[in-house]
Amino acid sequence: MVRKAIFGGTFDPIHNGHLNIAYESLERLNLDEIIFMPAGDPPHKSIKKITNATLRCEMVLMAIRHEKRFSLDYYEVREEGISYTYKTLLHFSKVQPEVQWHFITGADCLFYIDTWKNVKELLGLCTLVVFNRLGFSEDEIQVRKEYIEKKYNTKIIVLNTPFLEISSTNIRNRIAADKEVSYLLPSGVDNIIKELGLYRGINNVE
Ligand code: ATP
Ligand code: MG
């Protein structure tokens, strides 16, 4: 059976923490493909400022260019309004029903997945793959994993990797403060950011 994963995120910008969990997933779950799925631009009423999707996608394409099992899909970028993970998984499992689908997330998502739209249906369509992230202990993740598994009658895969605690928020803040970030970013992505002068404004702080 073909094994694929969708890796959703804002990717504003994509960083080495993302690539770390993507490569770990490829190897440890023996996946045939990981589809990076940048979230679409929020509806214009949203107060959260995000770099436009075209630029976020450009950075993702640069970051994944060396790995043929990594791809980018514009499905959520093209969708009108907020894109729900459930809808995305439903679309992909309809178009490619023969595939065993996974969805890759960091530990933070495990703690708010309860608020996602149609979680039960979503977890019926794919296996959730959760990575540890600084700020969450292994015990805490285990307890939460068991709670979600029981509540939704599903199986979740938890993978531990050495922490590469990088976040896009931290990168944006460092750039705004004129600090070095190239070592946190996939090769080529730092140049795009520099050339376009991204994240230099003061609207970054969350
Ligand atoms: P932001 O600070 O803007 O929220 P982020 O670094 O969390 O950005 P996202 O685009 O929100 O990046 O993340 C996409 C997915 O990758 C999420 O599931 C998130 O938990 C996971 N992720 C991001 N960074 C890491 C990391 N360093 N280690 C493990 N998982 C990560
Ligand atoms: Mg995040």
Side-chain angles (χ1 to χ4, degrees), residues 7-13 15-18 20-21 48 104-109 112 131-133 164-170 172 206:
F7 183 14
T10 315
F11 301 121
D12 190 18
H15 54 68
N16 289 337
H18 294 129
N20 178 40
I21 65 173
K48 199 168 175 222
I104 300 172
T105 65
D108 47 327
C109 297
Y112 57 74
F131 279 88
N132 59 336
R133 227 186 149 172
L164 215 51
E165 193 39 33
I166 304 170
S167 72
S168 302
T169 302
N170 184 247
R172 295 192 300 270
E206 221 166 51

Side-chain angles (χ1 to χ4, degrees), residues 64-82:
I64 65 176
R65 71 193 186 286
H66 294 306
E67 174 51 64
K68 62 179 191 313
R69 288 168 294 173
F70 289 166
S71 64
L72 175 145
D73 197 286
Y74 295 96
Y75 177 78
E76 291 193 4
V77 169
R78 291 204 185 104
E79 283 294 286
E80 297 275 320
I82 300 168

Side-chain angles (χ1 to χ4, degrees), residues 127-203:
T127 305
L128 198 66
V129 181
V130 176
F131 279 88
N132 59 336
R133 227 186 149 172
L134 204 71
F136 303 92
S137 73
E138 275 183 36
D139 288 349
E140 202 180 353
I141 292 174
Q142 187 59 31
V143 169
R144 183 69 185 171
K145 168 192 186 287
E146 283 166 18
Y147 166 77
I148 298 287
E149 283 184 332
K150 204 161 170 196
K151 181 166 178 189
Y152 297 106
N153 189 24
T154 185
K155 279 275 166 236
I156 295 173
I157 299 175
V158 173
L159 295 178
N160 288 319
T161 56
F163 286 127
L164 215 51
E165 193 39 33
I166 304 170
S167 72
S168 302
T169 302
N170 184 247
I171 290 172
R172 295 192 300 270
N173 290 339
R174 287 183 65 85
I175 294 172
D178 215 13
K179 291 181 178 161
E180 185 57 50
V181 289
S182 58
Y183 64 100
L184 305 168
L185 296 165
S187 83
V189 172
D190 52 334
N191 282 335
I192 296 179
I193 291 175
K194 272 193 201 119
E195 274 163 25
L196 297 172
L198 298 179
Y199 312 119
R200 305 202 68 86
I202 50 167
N203 288 325

Side-chain angles (χ1 to χ4, degrees), residues 91-103:
H91 169 80
F92 278 81
S93 52
K94 271 190 186 153
V95 178
Q96 300 180 49
E98 74 291 356
V99 168
Q100 196 177 345
W101 287 102
H102 301 75
F103 187 78

